Amino acid sequence: MTMTETMTESTVRINDLTPFIGAEMTGATYEDLLDPVLWDRVTTLLHERELVVIRSLDITPEQQIELANRIGRPKPFLMAKYRHPEHEEIMISSNAKKNDMAIGVARVGNFWHQDSTYQQEAPPYTMLHGVDVPGDSGHTLYANAADVYDRLPQEWKAKVEGRVAVHTVSKRQRISPEHAGLSIAEFKALVEEQHPPVQHPLIKTDPTTGRRYVYGAPEYMERVIGFDANENEEFFALLDQLIQDPERVYEHRWTPRDLVVWKCELTYHAATAVAPGVDRTVHRVSIEARDPWAA
């Protein structure tokens, strides 16, 4: 793909966002995306570039779900109270309130991670639609897990080969009202019971591009099996350094109605803070694959 390409005689255009991750589409409408040729281009970009941004796409929740259905199967969000009131497939990520009640879950993903690696089988795609987004805060940062692997020093590539990592939600589990009165030990035991640690290969191969990538971020990993405490600490520090290298991070500065979709296993991301007194609402859909993820 060239850096810039025009898809049709209309104003739809596609650009690479960075050399290392992402493609951007501008000028497209929902009706344009119903064209099988154009949609095939979107899915090809998703699998080749890991992250696709469709700018200023004015769609309804029903239309977002329809687009998600064309990638895979939308999966209802686990916590029912944060689902869209009419569409269980949509999680509302928002710091806004209505009648002094939160309409969604605030402060989601404000740390570097790949989605839901603490699950045995996490959905392979995530789709966000910017319903009400500020332009000067609440950005989203992205890094490519294959690019992270490429930049590992050779000695570490040898050390992580064939390794398995233990993933857990315990570092990021939120304390809720129902946890009141529990000791720290009781809270940790409850979290482990509700979300048992799982194991995943540390290095995987992407079935589309053939590139190898690191699967796991320190915030969702407990340890790499076979590493001692010092090796785990050293590896996690190196991984954080590589993921957060500002020269290899794409900062998505949201504009109203942006649709953003990514491959979860290949895409590290983190949300930045929203300015005080500013509302931000994004609709999120997790998408399961129709065919097994073959990484």
Side-chain angles (χ1 to χ4, degrees):
M1 185 184 75
T2 57
M3 191 64 178
T4 302
E5 63 179 274
T6 302
M7 288 299 301
T8 69
E9 294 181 358
S10 69
T11 57
V12 177
R13 296 181 67 83
I14 295 173
N15 303 287
D16 285 353
L17 286 167
T18 71
F20 48 86
I21 193 171
E24 176 186 64
M25 179 177 289
T26 58
T29 65
Y30 175 74
E31 289 71 24
D32 289 329
L33 296 177
L34 297 180
D35 177 355
V37 175
L38 184 58
W39 187 252
D40 182 68
R41 191 73 186 103
V42 171
T43 56
T44 298
L45 288 167
L46 173 61
H47 289 97
E48 291 180 349
R49 300 287 300 158
E50 328 304 355
L51 167 75
V52 174
V53 174
I54 304 176
R55 289 284 186 181
S56 304
L57 186 67
D58 191 9
I59 54 175
T60 64
E62 293 87 351
Q63 289 170 333
Q64 180 180 0
I65 293 169
E66 169 57 27
L67 293 177
N69 261 308
R70 298 173 72 188
I71 295 173
R73 291 188 301 267
K75 180 180 181 180
F77 185 56
L78 180 64
M79 300 175 67
K81 67 180 179 179
Y82 295 128
R83 294 174 183 168
H84 190 284
E86 298 173 10
H87 305 284
E88 67 174 6
E89 300 93 337
I90 293 176
M91 183 200 83
I92 300 177
S93 172
S94 179
N95 64 342
K97 294 185 177 182
K98 185 176 182 179
N99 298 326
D100 212 30
M101 296 287 291
I103 66 170
V105 57
R107 293 186 74 249
V108 176
N110 59 330
F111 55 94
W112 282 100
H113 64 288
Q114 293 150 310
D115 285 326
S116 303
T117 67
Y118 54 86
Q119 297 179 9
Q120 195 63 60
E121 295 184 8
Y125 309 100
T126 293
M127 176 185 284
L128 300 184
H129 189 229
V131 176
D132 180 18
V133 290
D136 56 357
S137 65
H139 313 312
T140 309
L141 309 176
Y142 293 95
N144 186 338
D147 181 60
V148 168
Y149 175 81
D150 289 345
R151 290 182 287 120
L152 280 174
Q154 198 59 45
E155 64 179 292
W156 276 104
K157 285 183 178 178
K159 291 183 72 168
V160 299
E161 185 64 33
R163 296 285 184 180
V164 172
V166 178
H167 294 240
T168 175
V169 74
S170 62
K171 295 180 184 179
R172 284 292 171 174
Q173 177 66 33
R174 295 177 180 222
I175 299 175
S176 302
E178 61 266 27
H179 300 132
L182 296 179
S183 68
I184 293 176
E186 289 170 334
F187 174 68
K188 289 182 176 180
L190 179 63
V191 170
E192 187 158 323
E193 177 185 343
Q194 294 175 336
H195 304 283
V198 299
Q199 297 182 12
H200 295 293
L202 182 57
I203 307 300
K204 293 189 171 188
T205 301
D206 180 72
T208 300
T209 64
R211 296 182 69 187
R212 310 201 77 197
Y213 62 95
V214 181
Y215 188 52
E219 292 296 325
Y220 277 160
M221 282 198 292
E222 178 182 284
R223 69 187 189 280
V224 177
I225 295 174
F227 283 2
D228 62 29
N230 289 334
E231 288 173 314
N232 273 298
E233 183 177 352
E234 187 178 355
F235 177 65
F236 284 177
L238 172 63
L239 196 53
D240 270 335
Q241 178 186 342
L242 294 175
I243 293 169
Q244 299 178 40
D245 182 346
E247 297 298 319
R248 311 301 292 186
V249 168
Y250 164 64
E251 180 180 46
H252 182 67
R253 303 178 71 87
W254 288 83
T255 55
R257 318 302 291 179
D258 286 351
L259 187 77
V260 182
V261 58
W262 63 85
K263 286 161 57 177
C264 297
E265 291 202 4
L266 270 291
T267 309
Y268 290 106
H269 55 289
T272 65
V274 180
V278 175
D279 287 347
R280 180 182 186 273
T281 299
V282 175
H283 285 177
R284 181 184 190 271
V285 177
S286 291
I287 307 170
E288 295 180 319
R290 289 196 175 89
D291 299 317
W293 178 247

